[in-house]
Amino acid sequence: MTSTSQKHRDFVAEPMGEKPVMALAGIGEVLGKRLAEKGFDKAYVVLGQFLVLKKDEELFRDWLKDVCGANAKQQGDCYGCLKDWCDAFL
């Protein structure tokens, strides 16, 4: 099992609500701004895309790279964060 960041653990620990996109693990200020400019301003909007892509890791990582330029680590952190949140709450 890979270790997770405090940001990841905090996100997965509770319902998403209206959390900003930057609350997602792997998404900092720069990527968060790029995502918000494309309409993905809240974590739940990114979750919607994650679900539209049927929780497929490769498709989601490619999408995240294309939409905001996330690197491999950022893609993996964000994917893992959303996957673990879905496992806990869906």
Side-chain angles (χ1 to χ4, degrees):
M1 181 177 169
T2 58
S3 64
T4 57
S5 66
Q6 186 63 48
K7 189 174 182 181
H8 176 112
R9 291 188 297 275
D10 290 347
F11 189 85
V12 173
E14 62 187 14
M16 195 174 303
E18 294 287 323
K19 289 182 183 178
V21 71
M22 288 180 284
L24 289 163
I27 306 299
E29 193 172 333
V30 172
L31 295 184
K33 185 175 180 192
R34 290 178 191 163
L35 284 163
E37 287 169 354
K38 298 204 171 148
F40 297 92
D41 58 332
K42 300 285 186 185
Y44 69 81
V45 183
V46 177
L47 172 66
Q49 183 65 29
F50 178 77
L51 295 174
V52 165
L53 296 172
K54 299 183 178 180
K55 303 188 219 174
D56 182 278
E57 182 172 6
E58 184 178 353
L59 290 175
F60 181 76
R61 289 173 76 121
D62 286 347
W63 172 81
L64 201 57
K65 179 177 152 188
D66 292 344
V67 80
C68 69
N71 67 31
K73 181 180 183 331
Q74 293 162 330
Q75 296 163 24
D77 289 351
C78 190
Y79 171 81
C81 184
L82 287 171
K83 180 183 181 306
D84 289 351
W85 188 91
C86 286
D87 290 346
F89 290 99
L90 293 183

